[in-house]
Amino acid sequence: MKNSPSNDRRRFLLSIARGIGLSAMGALVWSAYVGEVKAAPLILRPPGALAEDEFIKNCIKCGLCVEACPYDTLNLAKPGDNFPIGTPFFTPRTIPCYMCSDVPCVPVCPSGALSEPSVSSYVQSHATLDINKARMGLAVIDRESCIATWGIQCDACYRACPLMGQAITIEYSKNERTGKHAFLIPIVHGDVCTGCGMCEHACVTKKASIFVLPRALAMGEAGNHYIKGWDPKDEQRLEPVKKEVPHTFTKTKISEKSALDSLNDESGL
């Protein structure tokens, strides 16, 4: 029995409606995905993670690093987390990285998104995993809300730091308000801090006064045009320039001395 023209027309309209519905759904999913990706700069990745752009390119969202974490620190981003869906991240205030000595989350990564060399120390060309090399982020202190800056004795972040006395030190100064007490101010050292977040987890204030940010956001950048003249390695960056433009480096009697000797030279005063 042949279909009537009205049935054919009905099927045609239904197919169009389905197509429009699927297209709309796809657009919504895609817009949600784009929104999640744009929020990624604030995300904290596992130890050994490549720079964010490279990490996104290499991570295959397998979840093996999440399964390998013995403390349930790592999570896979899901819709609504405002992070790239399926990628690993952690929230220090909830569960920090507990700095496993064997760094179990890194060796299991099959794609290289978590780089073993970046969390390894080398002795006579032999690589050994070293969690202290991790740079997951950088702890930042809000001095306005940190109660130690009020004069209340608190060293919770200092005590919680697995690299106590290195990544976080305490600076003592006199409390002029009372005249007989001292401030115990925590100081974060960016060249040592791993970004594990144990300090943030331990902070006693309602909202953590010390918190971990991705290093790209937490740190400034002086630029290549500044040279530390007192740092021999940094000074080496001038060598190619000296060869190209030797006439710009004039030598005088004062330039024969070190910068410190020149500043302390009282002759002629």
Side-chain angles (χ1 to χ4, degrees), residues 58-71:
N58 286 273
C59 178
I60 61 174
K61 306 172 180 62
C62 63
L64 289 177
C65 57
V66 176
E67 292 181 13
C69 179
Y71 295 100

Side-chain angles (χ1 to χ4, degrees), residues 11 13-24:
R11 286 198 188 90
L13 291 174
L14 284 172
S15 64
I16 290 177
R18 289 194 192 100
I20 293 173
L22 289 171
S23 298

